[in-house]
Amino acid sequence: QVQLVQSGAEVKKPGASVKVSCKASGYTFTGYYMHWVRQAPGQGLEWMGWINPNSGGTNYAQKFQGRVTMTRDTSISTAYMELSRLRSDDTAVYYCARDPATTPYSSSPYWYFDLWGRGTLVTVSS
Amino acid sequence: SYELTQPPSVSVSPGQTARITCSGDALPKQYAYWYQQKPGQAPVLVIYKDSERPSGIPERFSGSSSGTTVTLTISGVQAEDEADYYCQSADSSGTYQGVFGTGTKVTVL
């Protein structure tokens, strides 16, 4: 069925990097934009950026510019989000979420999320 | 930075109507979207493009827009509707950025 399967929980030390994966199945991976959203414990949702799996183009939230890198491997229908120089306040559940805008027909995403992964808990602790 | 403001909580009795507002200066120019999130689960889209309902979402969920405020209405609230609800839109003031509302906890009494 149509789903996004994310990698398992991670524990990292401050200053380290983490790379979270999101494998798409049941639809054409390169056909839809993919966003990343995070949620700190007990807090709200925070948009991080998107990747166009067809072209590899990206757009990052200003807050994460210089620390986040979104990539994809089309051969295995998987998107990745890498966050570097981790701090304790990066502790959160990280979600991948599909945008219904179809690539390459749409030059930009529709800016909403119709399919979500289950989330990956990243804990940053010394 | 652009903000979407929601009330922290709404309480409603079963069968009554819950209304959740979301305010933001750019909402007259950008669509709003609504998500339901239950504890330990990923968010689920319940309204898109201000008032459209995805397939599989009950008819009791509806959305509306007026000026700088959008509203999610849950008619005939059921116990299973108890959850956090987030509005979401795009900030087009510079490089497009996604933005979420502050979230509203709906409690069914």
Side-chain angles (χ1 to χ4, degrees):
Chain A
Q1 71 273 32
V2 178
Q3 62 180 350
L4 300 172
V5 178
Q6 297 188 225
S7 49
E10 303 259 15
V11 179
K12 296 292 184 181
K13 293 192 181 302
S17 298
V18 68
K19 191 171 186 177
V20 178
S21 68
C22 170
K23 183 175 178 59
S25 61
Y27 74 95
T28 302
F29 171 67
T30 53
Y32 298 86
Y33 290 80
M34 189 77 77
H35 298 258
W36 290 87
V37 175
R38 76 176 186 178
Q39 186 171 37
Q43 303 301 309
L45 301 168
E46 182 174 32
W47 178 78
M48 298 183 69
W50 58 253
I51 182 168
N52 178 336
N54 186 56
S55 67
T58 56
N59 177 26
Y60 303 141
Q62 291 171 358
K63 174 177 179 176
F64 300 104
Q65 289 276 0
R67 278 211 305 146
V68 70
T69 304
M70 296 177 188
T71 57
R72 90 292 191 213
D73 184 337
T74 58
S75 68
I76 57 172
S77 300
T78 299
Y80 301 93
M81 187 285 300
E82 184 170 21
L83 190 62
S84 64
R85 303 193 300 277
L86 290 168
R87 308 184 292 256
S88 59
D89 62 358
D90 290 318
T91 294
V93 175
Y94 290 77
Y95 295 100
C96 57
R98 188 185 73 173
D99 186 300
T102 54
T103 69
Y105 307 105
S106 295
S107 59
S108 62
Y110 288 168
W111 289 100
Y112 69 102
F113 321 119
D114 65 349
L115 177 69
W116 293 68
R118 289 192 172 187
T120 297
L121 175 63
V122 175
T123 302
V124 183
S125 174
S126 55
Chain B
S1 61
Y2 182 47
E3 295 181 347
L4 295 174
T5 303
Q6 300 179 231
S9 62
V10 168
S11 297
V12 60
S13 299
Q16 299 303 303
T17 297
R19 293 182 179 83
I20 306 165
T21 58
C22 171
S23 298
D25 290 343
L27 288 177
K29 298 177 290 184
Q30 295 292 333
Y31 284 123
Y33 311 93
W34 290 94
Y35 302 88
Q36 175 194 69
Q37 186 181 33
K38 296 181 179 180
Q41 297 183 19
V44 173
L45 179 71
V46 295
I47 293 290
Y48 67 101
K49 293 184 180 179
D50 291 347
S51 59
E52 300 294 320
R53 194 173 52 250
S55 61
I57 299 302
E59 292 184 6
R60 64 181 181 272
F61 289 89
S62 63
S64 62
S65 175
S66 179
T68 59
T69 300
V70 294
T71 302
L72 174 68
T73 301
I74 312 173
S75 304
V77 166
Q78 300 182 6
E80 67 200 51
D81 300 331
E82 184 163 292
D84 293 326
Y85 291 83
Y86 294 91
C87 62
Q88 178 254 317
S89 188
D91 177 9
S92 58
S93 59
T95 304
Y96 267 75
Q97 306 272 287
V99 60
F100 284 94
T102 48
T104 299
K105 169 68 175 178
V106 170
T107 300
V108 181
L109 300 171

